[in-house]
Amino acid sequence: MIGKPITGKSFGGCVRYLLDKPDAKILSAEGVRIQDAKSITQDFNLQRKLRPGLGKAVGHLVLSWSKEDLPKLNDEQMVARAQEYMKKMGIANTQCLIVRHHDREHPHLHIVYNRVDNSGQTITDKNDYQRNIKACKDITLKYGYHLGEGKELVNRLALKGKESLKYELYDSIKSALKQSISWKGFESKLNAKGIAVAYKYRSGTNEVQGISFEKGTLKMKGSSVDRSFSFAQLDRQLDRNYQVKQYQEALAANRPSLADQLREAIRIDVQAEHQHSHDRGESLLDILFRSEFIPAQSDPIGDADKRRRKRKKHETEQSQGVTR
């Protein structure tokens, strides 16, 4: 399960977005009339007047599951999970509306709630990012939902504003880290993508204790982009990259040529064959290089022909009076 917390200013715009989707279905409502979008909006706006100074009174949550989880979810179960999630997020004693959409392959729902609660107090959105991660993880593990690959599965094209910039940072940092073996190289690759890097130093020292990244109007601590992007984690990964590079270079420098490898393979093979032959009393090399006379086999037909030609020559010489 994945959650996405959003805050906004307009209940009317949010409610219309939720209800105007094809096949949108209201699953649950608390403290608002559900005759139509206008009635729902009026009720939300009436309560927000208890805290007129709060600009972003609209709380909007998106809960999504993997399509593999569809057999485990019906409307009632999705409402139960949504209520459990809200409790973990500290959202209670307030108006809310839960709507299920069917415009995607994966099951998902939207929750709109009033950040001005029934007592006129503000429901905090502080640390929403961290609390959202923990709540989703707890519920996913508790009910055995499909575990996705985290940020890698997020649809970048569906993101807007701050969320879009955040994932641009994530993708750029991950790519630069994979290709770098030093901080200088890491920074250079990020700067080329329009990302500035800033370090936080321990008071009165040159010891770095934190890092942040900035692109456009967004500036975030490394650990807020992703837990693996804290300064300490990045430093360890760059050091590992450097060590791997050193090892690969040393390996390449000491690697024998193809000819050397071939000669060594032949030497080992001959040595093994030699040992095998030695066990039988005589080595293969002894057999190959020993000096030994092998008599020619007799050829009866050839020998008879030679004798015939010799006899004929002798008879000719006698008839011509040649004395041998």
Side-chain angles (χ1 to χ4, degrees):
M1 189 182 85
I2 298 174
K4 181 180 178 182
I6 308 166
T7 57
K9 296 180 180 181
S10 172
F11 278 110
C14 185
V15 171
R16 285 193 298 273
Y17 170 77
L18 298 189
L19 298 185
D20 287 350
K21 284 282 186 177
D23 298 321
K25 182 180 181 181
I26 296 177
L27 300 184
S28 177
E30 183 71 32
V32 294
R33 297 166 293 165
I34 57 173
Q35 290 93 325
D36 50 40
K38 184 178 180 180
S39 299
I40 296 171
T41 301
Q42 286 176 343
D43 290 343
F44 274 127
N45 282 330
L46 182 63
Q47 182 156 304
R48 80 181 298 175
K49 290 180 180 179
L50 297 174
R51 205 80 174 177
L54 181 62
K56 293 185 176 182
V58 181
H60 180 190
L61 304 166
V62 187
L63 297 184
S64 303
W65 289 260
S66 170
K67 60 183 179 180
E68 284 86 351
D69 294 324
L70 193 55
K72 302 178 182 179
L73 295 166
N74 55 34
D75 292 346
E76 291 74 20
Q77 289 168 327
M78 291 178 76
V79 169
R81 300 298 87 78
Q83 292 172 341
E84 188 173 349
Y85 171 86
M86 291 173 68
K87 184 176 180 180
K88 289 178 178 293
M89 292 289 288
I91 302 167
N93 188 38
T94 192
Q95 299 166 309
C96 70
L97 179 73
I98 301 176
V99 180
R100 181 173 183 177
H101 284 174
H102 296 84
D103 57 335
R104 303 288 176 86
E105 289 185 0
H106 63 276
H108 66 287
L109 58 77
H110 294 256
I111 305 169
V112 58
Y113 68 95
N114 204 328
R115 292 190 59 224
V116 179
D117 71 14
N118 300 335
S119 302
Q121 300 300 310
T122 300
I123 296 175
T124 182
D125 61 352
K126 187 177 181 180
N127 297 323
D128 265 3
Y129 176 73
Q130 287 81 7
R131 285 186 291 142
N132 167 67
I133 292 175
K134 186 178 187 306
C136 289
K137 182 178 179 181
D138 289 347
I139 294 173
T140 296
L141 295 176
K142 180 178 179 180
Y143 297 99
Y145 295 136
H146 179 74
L147 285 170
E149 300 299 324
K151 292 184 173 64
E152 308 306 326
L153 291 183
V154 175
N155 181 6
R156 271 57 169 168
L157 297 177
L159 301 175
K160 296 180 181 179
K162 182 178 178 180
E163 283 295 306
S164 178
L165 280 174
K166 175 184 171 183
Y167 276 88
E168 281 186 40
L169 278 179
Y170 173 81
D171 292 337
S172 297
I173 294 169
K174 184 174 181 180
S175 175
L177 182 62
K178 187 176 180 180
Q179 303 172 49
S180 303
I181 60 173
S182 68
W183 279 103
K184 184 177 180 180
F186 179 60
E187 285 186 45
S188 177
K189 288 179 174 60
L190 290 177
N191 291 340
K193 295 184 178 182
I195 299 173
V197 181
Y199 300 96
K200 180 182 178 182
Y201 296 90
R202 191 176 299 278
S203 180
T205 71
N206 292 324
E207 181 185 351
V208 179
Q209 65 174 166
I211 189 170
S212 61
F213 302 92
E214 184 174 357
K215 181 168 185 174
T217 58
L218 180 66
K219 183 175 182 178
M220 295 185 72
K221 294 190 300 182
S223 57
S224 295
V225 179
D226 191 83
R227 292 177 65 182
S228 64
F229 292 163
S230 68
F231 175 79
Q233 293 272 45
L234 291 171
D235 193 52
R236 278 194 288 270
Q237 186 59 54
L238 287 171
D239 185 56
R240 280 193 292 267
N241 292 352
Y242 176 75
Q243 291 179 18
V244 169
K245 179 73 171 177
Q246 292 290 98
Y247 173 76
Q248 291 173 339
E249 289 178 351
L251 192 63
N254 295 324
R255 184 179 295 124
S257 66
L258 181 59
D260 290 337
Q261 293 180 57
L262 183 58
R263 280 193 290 268
E264 178 65 10
I266 293 174
R267 185 190 68 77
I268 294 172
D269 189 55
V270 170
Q271 185 179 38
E273 183 63 31
H274 177 78
Q275 180 63 40
H276 179 64
S277 299
H278 179 72
D279 292 340
R280 294 180 298 174
E282 190 175 34
S283 73
L284 177 63
L285 291 178
D286 291 336
I287 295 172
L288 290 175
F289 296 106
R290 70 190 178 191
S291 176
E292 184 176 39
F293 171 72
I294 302 177
Q297 299 293 321
S298 62
D299 182 1
I301 297 176
D303 291 346
D305 186 65
K306 289 178 183 179
R307 288 193 296 271
R308 182 181 61 77
R309 289 198 300 270
K310 187 175 181 181
R311 186 171 57 252
K312 185 176 181 180
K313 181 180 179 182
H314 179 67
E315 291 172 352
T316 301
E317 290 176 344
Q318 285 185 337
S319 65
Q320 294 177 353
V322 178
T323 303
R324 289 179 61 97

